[in-house]
Amino acid sequence: MTEEQEVKQAPTSIIGKILLLGDAEVGKTCLLTRYTDDSFSTEYKTTIGIDFRIKRMFLSNQVEMKLQVWDTAGQERFRNISKAYVRGASAICLVYDVTKSSTFKNLHNHLSPETENPEVVKFIVGNKCEKDEERQVTFDEGKAFADEKGYEFREVSAASDTGVDNLFISVAKAIYRQKNPGSSLGWTGSASKFFRK
Ligand code: GDP
Ligand code: MG
């Protein structure tokens, strides 16, 4: 099949629900803000209520991807992530802090029957990678754990803006591939825009 034929068969707009999961203070809210606002704050704020942002991304063929990125809104402090939060997830990013090994060891606590579903795209994300001298989890340890689980692995830094855009572009591509098996459509990753719910 030529790419042109494939384009005609592709859906025009895909919604991908991406969940950010992980212990409190690993940097989930900062990653969301970095990706959607391109800003970073050192001030710690516990998010109140369920929060998500939408960012649009276009494929080279004008097929649109709407990424809904959900932030855990402080619920992770009480191990009380609501069902509404995880329901219908297309992808999960299990985030830990590379300078705090307990957050890495706790990753399994953030999986649930809904997110363990093989149709849900899974990424392990080590944040704060710019603090290399304070590292407690090496890149290889993170990668080995992800490989063992069959998940994707990325190290990022919301503070220094390292790998954040690439992470979400990779998640978007993985969601697209999950929903359109066998597709080889290209991506521009451009023309993205966000707006509040
Ligand atoms: P959340 O509880 O997982 O949502 O974590 P936050 O996004 O609120 O961040 C918790 C703390 O980690 C804040 O003080 C942030 O400034 C800090 N932080 C987040 N991302 C990074 C990063 O990439 N590097 C560093 N050094 N600090 C970060
Ligand atoms: Mg938060």
Side-chain angles (χ1 to χ4, degrees), residues 94 108 111 116 124 144-151:
L94 291 165
H108 65 272
L111 290 165
E116 288 268 39
I124 305 265
F145 177 68
D147 285 350
E148 184 193 309
K149 301 283 282 178
Y151 300 169

Side-chain angles (χ1 to χ4, degrees), residues 27-102:
K28 300 179 296 298
T29 302
C30 287
L31 285 171
L32 175 69
T33 320
R34 171 60 79 194
Y35 178 56
T36 56
D37 287 353
D38 198 19
S39 67
F40 178 78
S41 165
T42 50
E43 193 187 330
Y44 181 79
K45 280 199 202 107
T46 303
T47 332
I48 307 155
I50 289 181
D51 197 20
F52 69 87
R53 292 189 183 198
I54 297 171
K55 186 142 167 165
R56 287 190 289 178
M57 181 180 279
F58 293 90
L59 311 189
S60 51
N61 60 5
Q62 299 305 307
V63 172
E64 185 187 33
M65 185 103 196
K66 282 186 188 149
L67 297 183
Q68 274 186 5
V69 189
W70 289 54
D71 186 14
T72 49
Q75 298 166 23
E76 74 276 28
R77 292 184 170 278
F78 313 106
R79 296 218 178 165
N80 185 29
I81 300 293
S82 69
K83 287 234 166 66
Y85 186 81
V86 294
R87 195 176 298 132
S90 325
I92 57 170
C93 292
L94 291 165
V95 186
Y96 68 95
D97 175 348
V98 301
T99 70
K100 201 170 168 195
S101 58
S102 60

Side-chain angles (χ1 to χ4, degrees), residues 109-121:
N109 290 334
H110 300 282
L111 290 165
S112 63
E114 290 87 353
T115 57
E116 288 268 39
N117 180 333
E119 285 180 12
V120 177
V121 165

